[in-house]
Amino acid sequence: MQKSAIILAAGKGTRMKSKLYKVLHQVCGKTMVEHVLGQLEAAKIDNIVTVVGYGAESVENTIGKRSAFALQKQQLGTGHAVMQTEKLLGNIDGETLVVSGDTPLFKAETFNKLFEYHHQRHAAVTILTSNAPDPTGYGRIVRNDVGIVERIVEEKDATAKEKEIHEVNTGVYCFDNKKLFAALKKINNHNAQGEYYLTDVIGILKQAGEIVTAYRMPDFNESMGVNNRVALAQANRIMRQRINEELMMNGVTMVDPATTYIDAGVQVGRDTVIEGNVVIKGDTKIGSDCLIGAGSRIIDSTIHDGVKVISSTLESAEMHDGSDIGPNSHLRPLAEIGKNVHIGNFCEVKKAYVGEGTKVGHLTYIGDATLGKNINVGCGVVFVNYDGAKKHHTNVGDHAFIGSNSNLVAPVNIAADSFIAAGSTITDDTERFDMAIARQRQTNKPGYAKKLPW
């Protein structure tokens, strides 16, 4: 007996008012369809098929080899979408879950409980339901006096008494696989929309005397579908709260979780403190005992233990143990900051390695460079890496001193223990223990200031 799953992801999502197909909109850094797929994978599903239509190529490129695909050329309803998977799934003995690709909040635990409930009751179909605080717009689950599911009634068809029911259909179903595809052959599109509805399968199975059950999950928020930008924002808020609570339960301190924006999949170590108005995105890993200060933005970066990031931006960068940066500094892609390095305020580092113990105090640009250990880089230093056509590299050896307001014009090699005098523009290599001075000699004109007009 195999477990299969069908993700319905063929719709364009016109209410999103976007050129991006609906299931590719992101919730906390991952597309909605990737959230659904990830939870199905965590639930150990044997076969996953994604039904694509609008934007099929984009959806397939996003998912890759994690799923098989079935194409729904015309959007003729949910039942029609499931029909397109018959060649891939129709002959399998087992159970099949059907879920929409625009429901990013479902958890693997819920899917597993649905399968277990369905299997224990030997059902032909089990409907995943929940109690909605406001059931308006949802299909109601009508049960008889002993709790057996009688039918699903849509809002427009519900009586006043039925509208008082709070148990609603979430749009997720678990079917006996072969009975599903047999029943699909019996549905029709004789309705106002001219579509084939998956819910019609439930009625067909019921009339055939098959067991129809419903598993009621406790958290209604999981079932939230995203059809517009308002719902997208709500899904992000719920997912963000879920991510933050999990991190806090695992030993991370958040000063203000409501203003802490962390993507799904971000890793943060114990005893790290994250202040408010912080954004952490993408493939980011943060170690233990770090401080991520207010206003920081960290993207696709690796931060080791004991690091301080104060009101700064990191993009595809790495900071090693005990280093610190900020406030108001920027690590651009391929910046690597060694152990116990100090990067002060208003500094920018790009495609450069800064060695252990080096200090870069303020107002400095380091690009395309390799810096050794225990170097002092003064205020206003510029690594001049671009000649207008090509980028060039600068090397600075251990224990060098780079005086304030110096320009290092690449390509150039500054040897270990060199001393660069403040205000110098360096174009030639230095040898160890050299002091390089490259500036105009000062000339004083006695009494000249008296001739000035102010």
Side-chain angles (χ1 to χ4, degrees), residues 191-202:
N191 52 64
Q193 301 298 321
E195 294 185 350
Y196 297 89
Y197 295 130
L198 185 59
T199 49
D200 289 349
V201 169
I202 297 169

Side-chain angles (χ1 to χ4, degrees), residues 38-305:
Q39 295 305 306
L40 291 173
E41 289 170 334
K44 308 297 184 184
I45 304 299
D46 299 299
N47 312 293
I48 300 175
V49 179
T50 302
V51 181
V52 294
Y54 285 107
E57 184 177 351
S58 297
V59 176
E60 290 177 17
N61 288 339
T62 297
I63 293 175
K65 296 181 180 179
R66 297 168 65 187
S67 169
F69 297 95
L71 178 64
Q72 186 185 22
K73 294 180 179 178
Q74 291 180 285
Q75 276 59 62
L76 299 177
T78 51
H80 180 260
V82 175
M83 289 177 192
Q84 310 314 304
T85 70
E86 185 173 8
K87 289 183 179 180
L88 295 169
L89 299 177
N91 294 321
I92 295 175
D93 288 318
E95 299 155 344
T96 296
L97 184 147
V98 180
V99 60
S100 175
D102 63 359
T103 52
L105 299 176
F106 278 116
K107 297 179 182 179
E109 179 184 5
T110 299
F111 292 150
N112 282 330
K113 288 181 177 178
L114 175 61
F115 273 113
E116 182 180 359
Y117 188 94
H118 174 85
H119 186 72
Q120 287 177 347
R121 282 153 182 78
H122 305 286
V125 57
T126 301
I127 307 158
L128 183 63
T129 71
S130 190
N131 280 353
D134 179 7
T136 304
Y138 287 89
R140 310 303 205 277
I141 303 300
V142 179
R143 297 177 183 263
N144 64 18
D145 293 340
V146 293
I148 296 174
V149 175
E150 290 287 339
R151 64 187 185 279
I152 302 172
V153 59
E154 298 302 324
E155 171 89 14
K156 63 181 183 298
D157 300 320
T159 65
K161 184 176 181 180
E162 288 169 340
K163 287 180 180 179
E164 294 176 0
I165 297 172
H166 281 257
E167 186 183 5
V168 299
N169 177 21
T170 68
V172 176
Y173 312 93
C174 187
F175 291 94
D176 176 284
N177 188 64
K178 288 189 174 178
K179 290 177 181 179
L180 164 64
F181 287 102
L184 282 170
K185 291 180 170 61
K186 300 177 183 179
I187 66 173
N188 59 59
N189 63 344
H190 301 159
N191 52 64
Q193 301 298 321
E195 294 185 350
Y196 297 89
Y197 295 130
L198 185 59
T199 49
D200 289 349
V201 169
I202 297 169
I204 290 169
L205 292 172
K206 185 78 174 177
Q207 290 173 6
E210 298 285 358
I211 298 173
V212 176
T213 62
Y215 169 67
R216 190 181 317 184
M217 66 178 187
D219 184 4
F220 174 72
N221 283 334
E222 275 192 52
S223 67
M224 180 179 167
V226 175
N227 292 310
N228 55 46
R229 305 296 181 118
V230 174
L232 184 65
Q234 292 171 340
N236 270 281
R237 177 183 55 79
I238 294 168
M239 181 67 76
R240 190 165 59 244
Q241 181 179 353
R242 185 186 295 177
I243 291 167
N244 290 355
E245 287 180 356
E246 182 178 355
L247 287 171
M248 288 187 286
M249 291 301 293
N250 281 288
V252 177
T253 294
M254 294 187 187
V255 175
D256 185 7
T259 62
T260 302
Y261 307 88
I262 300 179
D263 275 357
V266 168
Q267 299 176 31
V268 185
R270 292 182 178 180
D271 294 314
T272 284
V273 176
I274 302 175
E275 296 180 344
N277 294 310
V278 165
V279 176
I280 306 175
K281 299 176 68 66
D283 183 20
T284 294
K285 299 177 179 63
I286 298 175
S288 301
D289 301 298
C290 296
L291 171 63
I292 310 300
S296 294
R297 184 178 180 88
I298 302 169
I299 304 167
D300 296 325
S301 295
T302 300
I303 294 174
H304 295 265
D305 297 339

Side-chain angles (χ1 to χ4, degrees), residues 297-299 301 309-317 319 325-333 335-337 343-351 364-367:
R297 184 178 180 88
I298 302 169
I299 304 167
S301 295
V309 178
I310 307 301
S311 303
S312 292
T313 297
L314 280 66
E315 302 173 86
S316 301
M319 296 184 69
I325 185 171
N328 303 308
S329 285
H330 188 181
L331 299 185
R332 290 169 58 193
E336 184 175 356
I337 307 304
I343 305 290
N345 54 300
F346 298 102
C347 295
E348 182 174 334
V349 182
K350 187 271 301 183
K351 198 178 180 181
T364 290
Y365 170 70
I366 300 174

Side-chain angles (χ1 to χ4, degrees), residues 89 353 376 388:
L89 299 177
Y353 174 78
N376 185 85

